[in-house]
Amino acid sequence: MAEPISTKSKILKQSNNCLKDSRTQLCKELVSEIEKLQLVVFDQNKFKCQSSLLGLQTEIIEAYFFNNSSNKRISLMIPFVIKNC
């Protein structure tokens, strides 16, 4: 049985939380959730959405691995995900 894919609004909310505190298990799981959603939108030929999701995923990975302890990290990609997805 396939696992359900998170909704766009849930992913956006979790992304904001991860950018504030990137060292959580939720952030690791979110990277996988975004990957699943990318595959879905790819199958629908929504390439702008897929690219925006990839950018958001990159921001989360950067926040996780290059955590500079800043709570003021702002996502540049969330507005593009909202617009393109």
Side-chain angles (χ1 to χ4, degrees), residues 51-56 59 74-82:
S51 297
S52 299
L53 289 168
L54 179 60
L56 180 59
E59 285 182 342
I74 297 173
S75 171
L76 299 174
M77 293 308 302
I78 287 179
F80 291 102
V81 172
I82 293 169

Side-chain angles (χ1 to χ4, degrees), residues 39-66:
L39 292 172
V40 169
V41 297
F42 171 78
D43 288 340
Q44 298 170 350
N45 294 326
K46 295 180 179 179
F47 302 117
K48 285 184 179 182
C49 179
Q50 182 189 15
S51 297
S52 299
L53 289 168
L54 179 60
L56 180 59
Q57 188 180 36
T58 302
E59 285 182 342
I60 293 167
I61 291 169
E62 281 182 350
Y64 184 82
F65 285 105
F66 304 112

Side-chain angles (χ1 to χ4, degrees), residues 1 4-5 19 21 25 27 62 64-65 69 85:
M1 188 157 111
I5 297 174
L19 292 171
D21 182 13
Q25 181 64 31
C27 297
E62 281 182 350
Y64 184 82
F65 285 105
S69 302
C85 299

